[in-house]
C-alpha cells in the first residue's frame, strides 16, 4: 500500500468558459468537481495505474463530506482522513476554452487544533505499518506547526518507509533537514530553498541539506534529478497546452510508482514526465489522459547529465 498525506485537502471545482475576460460576467459551459489537494491528486493517479493507495490528512464540514463521498467511489483508494471541526477548503479552476489557459483560486484551509494534530500523528504512525512508501504533499493548514513535515519524515524513516516530500517555503526547508528520500520542488521552490537559480547547482545543494534525491520540476523543460547514482534530465517531446492543475502531482505519482516497482531512475522519470504531460492534456483538473500517457511513454527523452558527486 502507498500512503499519501494531504494535510490541506480540498474540493477541486473546475469551471469552463468560452473566453475569460477580467471585469466581466461569464456563462459557465461545464462544471466538474473532484476531491483535491496535492496528495489526493497523487493518490488518484496511483490508483488509476493499479496501485493500492490510502489517503490521509484532514477533512471537515460539508465540503469534507463531499470529498469523502468522491473518495469512497474511487476504486483503489482507501479513505483514512482524520476529522476536524473546521471546513475543508475549495479550489476553483477557471478554464478559458479559447486559449486553454487556467486561472486558479485557492481558499485557505481549516484551522487545526493541537488535539486534532495529535490525533492525526497517531493515525499516521499506525498507517505506516502497512505502507510501502509515503508521500507528504502540499501546504500546511492553519494551526499545524511549520515543522510538521520534518516530524512526519522522521516518523516514516524510523518505520523504514521511503518518504517523498512535496511542499514549499519553510515547511520544505525544515522537512529537507529531516532527510527525506526524495524531494520534488519546482524551480521557484528550489531557488527559494537554496538561494541558487541555477538548477544543477541547486539540486546538489538541496542534497547537501539532507535530501537523498532531488527531482526538480522545470516546467516545459521537464525534470532534473540529482540522485546518489547520478543526475538525469527528462524532457517531454513537445510543449503541451491545457489545464496544468495536478500536473506536478502526477509527476509525484510517477516517481512513487517507479519507486515501489523498483524501476531504474530513467524509467521513473519517463513515467513522471508522461503522466505530467497527460494531465495537462486532460479536460478535468487532477485527471490524466490515458491514451496520451501511453503514447508519450515512448517519446520522453532522458539523458544522463553528470555523475553525482
Amino acid at each position: 500500500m502507498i500512503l499519501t498525506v494531504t494535510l490541506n485537502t480540498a474540493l477541486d471545482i473546475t469551471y469552463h468558459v468560452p473566453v475569460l475576460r477580467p471585469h466581466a460576467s461569464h456563462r459557465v459551459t461545464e462544471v466538474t468537481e473532484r476531491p483535491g489537494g496535492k496528495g489526493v491528486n497523487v493518490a488518484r493517479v496511483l490508483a488509476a495505474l493499479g496501485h493500492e493507495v490510502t489517503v490521509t490528512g484532514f477533512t471537515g464540514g460539508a465540503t469534507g463530506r463531499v470529498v469523502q463521498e468522491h473518495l469512497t467511489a474511487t476504486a483503489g483508494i482507501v479513505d483514512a482522513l482524520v476529522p476536524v471541526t473546521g471546513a475543508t477548503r475549495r479550489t476553483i479552476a477557471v478554464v478559458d476554452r479559447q486559449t486553454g489557459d487556467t486561472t486558479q483560486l485557492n481558499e485557505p484551509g481549516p484551522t487545526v487544533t493541537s488535539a486534532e494534530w495529535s490525533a492525526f500523528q497517531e493515525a499516521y504512525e499506525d498507517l505506516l505499518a502497512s505502507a510501502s512508501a509515503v508521500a507528504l504533499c502540499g501546504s500546511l493548514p492553519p494551526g499545524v506547526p511549520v515543522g510538521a513535515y520534518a516530524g512526519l519524515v522522521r516518523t516514516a524513516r524510523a518505520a523504514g518507509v521511503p518518504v517523498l516530500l512535496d511542499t514549499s517555503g519553510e515547511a520544505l526547508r525544515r522537512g529537507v533537514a529531516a532527510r527525506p528520500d526524495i524531494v520534488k520542488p519546482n524551480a521557484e521552490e528550489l531557488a527559494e530553498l537554496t538561494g541558487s537559480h541555477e538548477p544543477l547547482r541547486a539540486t546538489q545543494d538541496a542534497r547537501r541539506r539532507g535530501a537523498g534525491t532531488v527531482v526538480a520540476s522545470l516546467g516545459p523543460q521537464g525534470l532534473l534529478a540529482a540522485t546518489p547514482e547520478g543526475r538525469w534530465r527528462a524532457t517531454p517531446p513537445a510543449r503541451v497546452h491545457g489545464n496544468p492543475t495536478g500536473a506536478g502531482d502526477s509527476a509525484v505519482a510517477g516517481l512513487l510508482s517507479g519507486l515501489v516497482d523498483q524501476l531504474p531512475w530513467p524509467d521513473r522519470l519517463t513515467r513522471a514526465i508522461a503522466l505530467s504531460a497527460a494531465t495537462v492534456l486532460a479536460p478535468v483538473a487532477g485527471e490524466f489522459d490515458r491514451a496520451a500517457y501511453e503514447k508519450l511513454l515512448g517519446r520522453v527523452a532522458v539523458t544522463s547529465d553528470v555523475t553525482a558527486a
Side-chain angles (χ1 to χ4, degrees):
M1 175 270 286
I2 300 175
L3 178 64
T4 70
V5 175
T6 311
L7 296 179
N8 212 1
T9 54
L11 181 65
D12 288 342
I13 302 170
T14 303
Y15 294 140
H16 293 262
V17 298
V19 180
L20 181 62
R21 295 188 178 93
H23 317 299
S25 296
H26 296 80
R27 186 176 297 277
V28 176
T29 58
E30 182 183 351
V31 181
T32 58
E33 63 179 29
R34 293 288 189 277
K38 294 180 72 64
V40 174
N41 291 336
V42 171
R44 185 186 303 106
V45 174
L46 286 168
L49 293 173
H51 295 280
E52 295 182 0
V53 192
T54 296
V55 170
T56 191
F58 295 113
T59 182
T63 306
R65 288 192 292 274
V66 174
V67 166
Q68 291 185 284
E69 288 171 1
H70 282 297
L71 288 176
T72 300
T74 305
I77 294 181
V78 174
D79 171 13
L81 293 170
V82 176
V84 293
T85 302
T88 296
R89 66 191 178 121
R90 297 166 296 179
T91 67
I92 309 297
V94 183
V95 180
D96 184 324
R97 286 193 180 276
Q98 185 177 76
T99 65
D101 293 333
T102 301
T103 299
Q104 189 81 17
L105 303 172
N106 297 328
E107 296 180 353
T111 298
V112 176
T113 68
S114 58
E116 290 165 344
W117 174 235
S118 295
F120 169 79
Q121 292 177 87
E122 292 179 8
Y124 171 73
E125 191 166 356
D126 290 341
L127 289 166
L128 285 173
S130 55
S132 57
V134 59
L136 308 175
C137 302
S139 61
L140 301 176
V144 172
V146 70
Y149 281 136
L152 298 180
V153 168
R154 286 191 287 267
T155 301
R157 289 179 58 82
V161 179
V163 55
L164 182 152
L165 177 63
D166 183 14
T167 188
S168 60
E170 184 66 11
L172 174 61
R173 189 184 71 80
R174 297 197 187 193
V176 165
R179 308 187 69 80
D181 296 270
I182 305 171
V183 296
K184 196 211 70 64
N186 60 33
E188 181 180 345
E189 293 161 350
L190 184 63
E192 183 181 3
L193 172 67
T194 65
S196 174
H197 291 272
E198 204 290 303
L200 286 172
R201 180 180 300 173
T203 52
Q204 285 297 90
D205 186 14
R207 288 198 65 225
R208 285 192 291 270
R209 291 168 184 260
T213 288
V214 180
V215 181
S217 297
L218 305 179
Q221 297 177 342
L223 298 173
L224 173 65
T227 81
E229 293 82 23
R231 289 202 295 218
W232 288 271
R233 288 183 183 269
T235 55
R239 184 166 185 169
V240 294
H241 297 276
N243 184 353
T245 303
D249 306 328
S250 290
V252 169
L255 296 173
L256 279 175
S257 176
L259 170 66
V260 299
D261 288 344
Q262 299 182 329
L263 298 180
W265 270 107
D267 292 343
R268 297 187 202 183
L269 297 171
T270 294
R271 188 175 289 183
I273 286 283
L275 283 169
S276 180
T279 299
V280 174
L281 294 170
V284 178
E287 304 288 348
F288 72 94
D289 184 320
R290 182 171 291 276
Y293 164 64
E294 293 174 354
K295 183 177 180 180
L296 286 161
L297 276 174
R299 300 174 60 200
V300 175
V302 181
T303 57
S304 178
D305 193 74
V306 294
T307 300

